[in-house]
Each structure stands twice: as C-alpha cells, then as structure tokens.
Amino acid sequence: MSLERNPAWRAEPVTIYTCPMHPEVERDHPGECPECGMALEPKTVSSGAGNEEEAESGQNAETAALRRKLGLSAALALPVFLLAMGGMLPGLRDAGWMHGRISQWAQLVLASAVVFGPGGFVFGKAWRSLRHRSLNMFTLIALGVGAAWVFSVAAVVFPGWLPLSAGHGGRHGPDGQEGAGLYFESAAVIIVLVILGQWLEARARSRTGEAVRALLGLAAKTARRVVDGGEEDVPLEAVRPGDILRVRPGEKIPVDGVLTEGASNVDESMITGEPLPIGKKTGDSVTGATINQTGAFLMKAEKTGADTLLSRIVAMVADAQRSRAPIQRLADQVSGWFVPAVVLAALLTFAGWMWLGPEPRLSYAVSCAVAVLIIACPCALGLATPMSIMVGVGKGAHLGVLVRDAAALERAEKVTHLITDKTGTLTEGRPVVRAINAAQAGREDHVLALAAALEKLSEHPLARAVTAAAAERKLTLPEVTDFESITGAGITGKMDDQQVRVGKAAWLKAEGVAVPSGLVQAAEALQIQAHTVIWVAENNAVSGFIAVADPIKSSAAAAVRDLHAMGLKLVMLTGDNPRTAQAVARELGIDDVRAELSPAGKMDAVRALRAEGGAVVAMAGDGINDAPALALADVGIAMGTGTDAAIHSAGLTLVKGDLGGIVRALNLSRAVMRNIRQNLFFAFIYNAVGVPLAAGVLHPFTGWLLNPMIAGAAMALSSVSVIGNALRLRRFKG
C-alpha cells in the first residue's frame, strides 16, 4: 500500500508552542517561556476537533494546577498570618504562646512549606531567568520573597546574630528582649497572591483565545455525500474536491463549493457579520460552516480541509494574534532595563533606610526593599499590547475583518486618505449588459458574440456580464486563437482570420482602429449615466460597443458619510472612463476621482498621495490589477470577494467586500490602539506610583509604609487589570 495514498499513515502535524509576550520563542512541546516565564500556548490552530480539544485541555490543566496550588498555599499561609498578627486580634492579644519561640518556629515551618511547596515554581522560573540572562517578574518576586524568608529564618535560628535595632512591631526574642522582626507572613501571603494572580491571569488569557475556538466550533462535523444515486454520512475529513453533497434545511454547509441543483437562502453572518440571509441558486458559491435556511440543494465540493475559507480565516487570525505591533517596541525597550532598574531601586531603598531611617532601621530597610521588589512587576507592561491584539483580531474575525498582522492594524488607525476601486468596492461587482450598439443596424448579436468569445477567456470583472448576456441569447461563439490580454487596456485574438479587439477606445485608437463619431456620442451619453462602455473592433474597424452597468451598493452612500465623519478623504482610482467614474463619484460624494488608470497608474497615484506631507494612505481593491497598489499603500485592504493575489497583498481583508466593512476595520483599529494605550498607561503609571510608595517616600510626612503583602496584591492585580481591559474589546460592535 502506498504511504502517500493512505492518509492514515501520514505523520500528524507537529503543534508549535509560543509565548503571547514573546512570539519569537517557539517550542515543539509545552513549557514556559525562557524570557518571561509565562506558559507557552499553541501557535497554530487546526479545524480538527482533536487539536481543538488538545489546546483547550492544556489550558484547563494549567488553570486547574494553579487552582490546586492556590488552595494549598492559602491553607498553609492562613495560620502563619494569624500567628504573626495574633497580637492585634481580640482574645489572642494576651496569649503568650502567640509571641514565643513556638510561634516563631511554627511560622518558619509553615511559611517554608508555602514558599518552597506551592511557591517553588517562582524560584524555578527565577533561576531559569538568570540562566538565560533574561530577568523578569519572577526574578523580582524570588528576590523579594527570598530576602524576607532568609532574614526571618536568621532571626529565628540565630536571634543573637542580628542587632536589636532590627526589632519591629513589638516582637521579642527568647530572652524577653526586643529581637529581629519576622516577615514569614509577608513571604507566605505574597506567594499566595502571586499564585492568585497567575490563576486569574491564566483564566483571563484563556478567554482571549475564545475567538479562535468559536471559529473552530462553527465547522460542520459530517457531510451527506451522494454516491451512485445513494447518500451516506461521512466525516468532514473524508470529503474531497469534486464530491457531490446534499445539504438540507437547517444544516451547516460542510465545505466551500458551488450549487449544482436547487436553491436556498443561506445565513452567512458567521463570515460577513451581516444578519440578513443571502439567496443562492444553481451556479452560486457557498461557504463551509454557513447555515442553509430554507431549501435543500446539491453542491459540488471545491475546497476542503485547510483550503476552506473557515480554515484560512482561523490560520490568519492565529498568525495575526501572535504578531507584534510596532508600538510594542516601546514596551520592549522599557522591559530591557526595567528589572535591573528595580533591583537598583531596591538596593538604594535599603541603603537609604539604613542611613537615614528611624529605628529599627534594619527592619524598615528590609520591609521597604522587599515591597519595591514585589510591587514592580513588568508582566503588566509586557501583556499590554499582545492581549489587546489577541482579543481585537479575534473580534475582527467575527465581524468579517481579517487582520494579516498587528502592524497593519496599528497603521490603519493613522489613515488619512482612503483609495478605493470602483468595481466590486463601490458597486455590486455584478455588472449586467444594459445596451448593445452596433455600427451596422441589426448586427448587435454579432458584436456581442465577438466580445463574449474573447471575454470567456478573461478574468476581468466585466467579462462575466458579457458572457452571461451571450448565454441568455443562446448565441454561438466563434473559436478564438492567439488570445492575448493587455493589462489595463483590453483583450485580443483571432477569429476566422479576423483580428478582434475588445477593450477601451483609447487602446483601439492607439492600435490604429477608427472609432466613428456617432458611436462616440452614443457611448458618452451612456457613460454620463454611469455605464461602462466596452468597444469591439474587427481588424481596423469598430463593430460597435457594449454598455455595461454595475449598480452602486446600497450601503456605499452611508459608508462614505461615516468615512468622512472619521476625517478621511476618499479617492477613487479606476480603469473605467472618466464620465462613468464621475457619475458614481457625484452620487456618493467621493472627494477625488482618477479614471482610465492602468495598474502602474494606480501605483503612481498611491505613491503621489503618500508623498504628501502627513498623508497615510489606505488602498481598497479586489482585482489582480489592484495587487501592486495594495502592496504599495501604507494599509492594503482587500475585498474578500476578490482574488487571492489581492488578498495576499493586503494587510486587512474584508470577508464581505464593501465600504461598510472598511468602516468596521478602521473603527476596530482605533479601538484596539486606544485599548493598547490604556494598558500601557496603566502599566507605566502603576509602576511610576507604586515603586516610590513601596520605597517609603510618604513615611517622613505621614508615617505610612506600604506593607509587602499589599504590594503583592497590587502586583497580582496589575496584570489582571490589563487583561481585563483587553477583554473589553469583545464588546466592540464596529
């Protein structure tokens, strides 16, 4: 049996794991990031149910493990806290055992169990951060907790070694004299709070991946395949291109394909964000995971597995969620020196209290230095950008806005000029033949047949309208040889030894073809009414023209108003003639129109706009001829109904190609970038305020000091607050 022909023998794809904060870190197994210590998450997501369950079970296992550690550490830390604070509690204030050697040794044993039991992972991560020379939040936590624990152990085991000036809070040594202060309760409670923060963070991070998991859940699990007149239910993985499938009312369409029999209305809201169902008839395309509503139909499978639109959306979303926005460079630069700066701040705090502080100086110095180390957590700073990107990109996918990378999303916020194509962007993209004008009366069908014979070999958006009109009239099309397409001009070929050209009037004139003035006047009258004119010539004489109209999209006018309200200037670049372009622009209120442009002309227009001072240019298009301009623009926006070349050249892709989608995309960009700035502000202001407070700057004026336990709680909540703010993007409406 051939290995290639039997899918069961093929190797399973390897799951790659990466870090949300450092996507450059990749491993072929679960673990933790050597840069920041966070748990690695699957980088690639498959529409297969097994991979989905594997990813979800891995996240659940991490959350469950942290929950167990939290329960155990809290149970052990509570008696430590009560023993340390017993002198403040009614009924225990006068109990001598609460302040004696038994209490001290009990605190030592229980706190050590917390620090090196459930909290042992903190020191493991800190050691690895030192080994990899990448200091992170766990480095600071381990230094702070370790310093508090070592100081307290020394005070218990060797009480005579520490000076009496280390006494703090009314604690006494075994001889009844004031001795060194203990910080076992701080060390234990800080570990509890760290684990609490890690647990809350893991739960919140799992919610940022809900968008991809929800997309995976949309796929059908089985398909009804028609074979030799019978039908059978088969797993989705068994469907192959070319299979005939039956879809009944209420069922999910299993894969991408085309209707071969029947008609129905299909709910495509999962990929377009539009709630209204779309009518489908024989010959129309349907998308996997959309829902058939009313009628039963047969369809031919065209794209399966990873080639379906849903799988491509999932892959694009997963890649974009792991990409890095340029704004993150600021956080990276700060994080590079953040931990050493905090350690230096802690040392200066210790030295300052030992030099200038009141008695007991050593106790104050240790407490404040530990608080500085604990409160200055760089995790919130590192999470500020990737969490917003993950949630925003996932939300965009549900609204029909696919983001190729975070850089495109950031650039989209700054757009000042939006360039659009006409056909398929401002118009329906489904043109129809409205008029045929022949140079010789009664030769209209001949003109249409010549044009259709060439257009059936073309990929131009207007070609389908011409061939459909010929099919409707049941015309016999002549055979074509020596076919050639001249980009931005027209098409040509030979029929019965006649050189036939179909395209623009300017191109025909350049080829030496005479265009009668009477036909020109008739064409101009139609162009003023937003008709596109296609000229047909045999040898060196014009045979006539075909007028094609492409209706303006019903949503275009409202979208133009919204874009103007956002402060954008709209520019239409089209290969169509100026009169047709001007007619569309007048109706919609487009600011600037440039017509009869070749692909090179569109690139020149984009380049010229970008050269204007302060202009940030977005280009929206859907054809092959738009791909170069899409790649050149600051932000390329491809209409999902367009070609793969356009989609691959763009930073943003709209599943449903209209201006309303562009409005949603730009609003999404602004919402995500606003959310990122909020997160960065929270992280910066938190540390800017927290570190000086922990160092004790208010003590000379108010006598107030920040307890290391409160610093631990603030440290844990900082990361959770950043993730919680990012999760607000799930409520974005567009």
Side-chain angles (χ1 to χ4, degrees), residues 433 436 444-459 462-480 483 491 495 500-503 534-537 546 548:
V433 173
I436 303 172
E444 288 79 8
D445 284 354
H446 176 70
V447 172
L448 180 59
L450 292 177
L454 285 172
E455 293 287 14
K456 73 177 183 180
L457 304 175
S458 170
E459 295 182 353
L462 300 181
R464 184 175 179 182
V466 175
T467 56
E472 185 178 343
R473 298 191 183 199
K474 298 181 180 179
L475 301 180
T476 300
L477 306 183
E479 292 294 326
V480 177
F483 174 83
I491 51 181
M495 304 177 200
V500 179
R501 297 178 177 88
V502 175
I534 303 171
W535 292 89
V536 181
I546 300 170
V548 177

Side-chain angles (χ1 to χ4, degrees), residues 16-27 32-36 38 40-41 43 324:
I16 302 298
Y17 295 83
T18 186
C19 172
M21 288 174 56
H22 301 88
E24 70 277 6
V25 174
E26 294 185 355
R27 299 287 186 272
E32 63 186 43
C33 174
E35 297 290 332
C36 64
M38 288 182 64
L40 300 179
E41 299 177 356
K43 176 183 178 182
R324 296 169 74 86

